[in-house]
Amino acid sequence: MTTSPPLTPPPRVALGTGLAALPAGAMNVVFTLEPGDAEPARLKLCARDLQQLSDSALRTTQLTGHVFFAFNGLERDPRQVHTIPECRDVLRALHERWPYWMHFLAPEPDLWTVLLLCLLPLGPGVRLPNGRIGHELDRKALKNLVLDLTIAMHELHDHHKLALAERQRIFKASMQAMERATGARL
């Protein structure tokens, strides 16, 4: 499992449009989201696409740790993604319907930082020297989220009958990425 971005740009597939745009042999994918995807009809379509991904044994194996996500239309927005209420709403709503991030999300600390900060309650922010906003994490909420993510991943692995060694490898890569993202041992 790689811990650096793919050398060739992975295909970009807009969630909610079906998985037809995802090439059959794709080894990486960037799922794009819109800030308005939390609207119930759009959310239903996005969740359906993700569910099709995790229902497929082939896609589950093929895209283990190789899914990236990005929000369209934020290129000029100076805010950090996790501080944009619409982005938080989308990721929280998707997580309620599809909690399999530990299996699929690339082990990139930046991706995990955005996901975790969107899913966790935000405490007061502190401006860092680099201009970004840092937030103290609610340790109890973080541990509960990691537990929920782990349970979902194990359910997915049970469903697809993954071998123990593969399960352990996926868990370890995800945990290392989350630890680098949070700067804490989980």
Side-chain angles (χ1 to χ4, degrees), residues 11 13-15 19 22 29-33 50 53 63 67-70:
V13 176
L15 276 180
L19 297 181
L22 181 58
V29 63
V30 176
F31 285 121
T32 60
L33 296 157
L50 291 172
L53 183 76
L63 293 173
V67 169
F68 299 78
F69 68 86

Side-chain angles (χ1 to χ4, degrees), residues 37-63:
D37 282 341
E39 183 268 316
R42 289 285 313 140
L43 181 63
K44 184 177 180 179
L45 294 173
C46 293
R48 178 207 61 202
D49 288 353
L50 291 172
Q51 195 60 51
Q52 288 177 357
L53 183 76
S54 57
D55 285 348
S56 164
L58 176 64
R59 295 278 194 208
T60 296
T61 300
Q62 184 179 6
L63 293 173

Side-chain angles (χ1 to χ4, degrees), residues 33-110:
L33 296 157
E34 302 291 334
D37 282 341
E39 183 268 316
R42 289 285 313 140
L43 181 63
K44 184 177 180 179
L45 294 173
C46 293
R48 178 207 61 202
D49 288 353
L50 291 172
Q51 195 60 51
Q52 288 177 357
L53 183 76
S54 57
D55 285 348
S56 164
L58 176 64
R59 295 278 194 208
T60 296
T61 300
Q62 184 179 6
L63 293 173
T64 301
H66 292 284
V67 169
F68 299 78
F69 68 86
F71 282 91
N72 287 325
L74 301 180
E75 296 79 16
R76 292 194 174 114
D77 194 320
R79 298 174 292 174
Q80 292 168 261
V81 173
H82 70 273
T83 66
I84 301 172
E86 298 84 359
C87 296
R88 291 176 60 80
D89 291 346
V90 169
L91 288 175
R92 283 178 169 190
L94 280 177
H95 177 70
E96 287 176 16
R97 290 157 179 80
W98 188 83
Y100 306 117
W101 302 102
M102 277 183 84
H103 179 86
F104 288 99
L105 195 62
E108 297 293 327
D110 289 345

Side-chain angles (χ1 to χ4, degrees), residues 88 92 116-123 135-138 141-142:
R88 291 176 60 80
R92 283 178 169 190
L116 294 173
L117 287 173
C118 283
L119 298 180
L120 292 168
L122 286 181
H135 295 275
E136 186 171 331
L137 298 176
D138 177 330
L142 177 60

